[in-house]
Amino acid sequence: MKNETTIFGIRAIIEAITSGKTIDKVFVQKGLRSELFQELEHLMRSEGINSSYVPIEKLNRLSKGGNHQGAVANISPIAFHNIDDLVLNVTESGKTPLFLLLDQLSDVRNFGAIVRTAECTGVSGIIIQKKGGAPINGDTIKTSAGAIFKIPICKVDHIKDAVFYMQSSGIKVVAATEKADDYIYDISLIEPCAIVMGSEGKGINPSVLKVVDNKAKLPILGNIASLNVSVACGAFLYETVRQRS
């Protein structure tokens, strides 16, 4: 059984994966050991599908009391793009590339708000990590005001992989972090670039910060030490628009 974005039951999820549905994430009951579950687990590993082991109470909530058999999956409302094809198409289009890399952003409303701003500022594509990030669900769609259907989104194993790929394609990578010495206004964003935004709690992974080309911050004049990530992302993107105008 399923609704627009959720499917539950181990066999139903296996059939959805094998039929080519884009699965965003699978929630699995802790301690399952059946043969059918092992088949699902093998399939998730081979397809690189994000999964999480959770208590049965969460599955009961997600399935709204349906017979979930220990597994509930979120079906992505969008098809994800291949990063190789996206970068190649953008670089060959004649437009100056502007990519957005989101390092394990976990809040769906922040994600939706960022997607909306990205679409408004001409971002070429958004790259997210397969595991640990916010799911693309009804809340994401609503908060993005439908922009989620208008901007290409890619998934990679690790954001650092995307950083290296951007750099090898001649695209400068700029990390938004309060640990920077430079303000965003001191960094040139006129050339092809990709902006990295971190998660709400931890920011950008230190291993990612080590390999970016530039780090930049926004001035904070009040007593609160940081901005909401979607607000900060908007400031970075509109500074890019200002420089390129």
Side-chain angles (χ1 to χ4, degrees):
M1 295 177 65
K2 61 184 178 179
N3 59 27
E4 287 183 349
T5 57
T6 304
I7 186 168
F8 51 87
I10 296 176
R11 190 168 295 282
I13 295 171
I14 289 173
E15 290 174 359
I17 296 171
T18 55
S19 67
K21 293 284 186 185
T22 304
I23 305 297
D24 195 48
K25 187 171 186 176
V26 179
F27 297 91
V28 181
Q29 183 181 332
K30 290 177 179 177
L32 280 186
R33 290 291 180 268
S34 68
E35 279 189 30
L36 196 59
F37 166 68
Q38 289 175 4
E39 182 183 343
L40 172 61
E41 196 172 42
H42 173 75
L43 195 56
M44 290 190 301
R45 278 199 305 267
S46 65
E47 296 293 327
I49 294 171
N50 189 13
S51 63
S52 181
Y53 293 85
V54 298
I56 191 171
E57 290 80 8
K58 176 157 188 174
L59 297 175
N60 292 339
R61 288 196 304 273
L62 291 171
S63 64
K64 298 181 180 178
N67 182 21
H68 54 69
Q69 301 173 316
V72 175
N74 288 334
I75 300 176
S76 174
I78 66 166
F80 293 99
H81 291 246
N82 177 281
I83 189 171
D84 299 22
D85 295 337
L86 176 61
V87 173
L88 181 62
N89 290 340
V90 172
T91 52
E92 290 183 346
S93 70
K95 297 180 180 178
T96 305
L98 172 59
F99 291 98
L100 194 55
L101 280 54
L102 304 181
D103 189 11
Q104 296 194 13
L105 196 81
S106 58
D107 186 279
V108 292
R109 291 176 179 82
N110 279 337
F111 184 30
I114 284 173
V115 172
R116 183 175 184 174
T117 304
E119 202 280 330
C120 290
T121 52
V123 168
S124 311
I126 298 173
I127 291 83
I128 61 176
Q129 197 159 296
K130 287 180 180 177
K131 294 186 177 181
I136 296 175
N137 56 24
D139 284 334
T140 319
I141 295 169
K142 184 178 180 181
T143 313
S144 77
I148 197 82
F149 301 115
K150 299 179 182 296
I151 187 165
I153 297 178
C154 305
K155 281 191 171 186
V156 293
D157 290 329
H158 195 285
I159 289 298
K160 192 158 65 172
D161 299 333
V163 171
F164 290 142
Y165 191 81
M166 293 289 166
Q167 291 169 332
S168 68
S169 303
I171 297 168
K172 180 170 73 174
V173 180
V174 180
T177 172
E178 70 277 4
K179 298 172 184 176
D181 294 324
D182 296 320
Y183 290 116
I184 187 60
Y185 315 117
D186 303 320
I187 303 291
S188 173
L189 302 169
I190 295 172
E191 62 265 45
C193 65
I195 295 171
V196 188
M197 304 299 302
S199 67
E200 294 85 354
K202 298 179 180 178
I204 298 172
N205 190 301
S207 66
V208 174
L209 285 176
K210 288 179 181 177
V211 297
V212 299
D213 299 300
N214 295 99
K215 302 181 190 74
K217 62 184 178 181
L218 291 165
I220 302 293
L221 306 181
N223 295 320
I224 297 175
S226 63
L227 291 166
N228 171 278
V229 64
S230 67
V231 174
C233 185
F236 269 69
L237 292 177
Y238 270 102
E239 171 59 14
T240 308
V241 171
R242 187 192 69 80
Q243 289 190 24
R244 294 182 178 186
S245 297

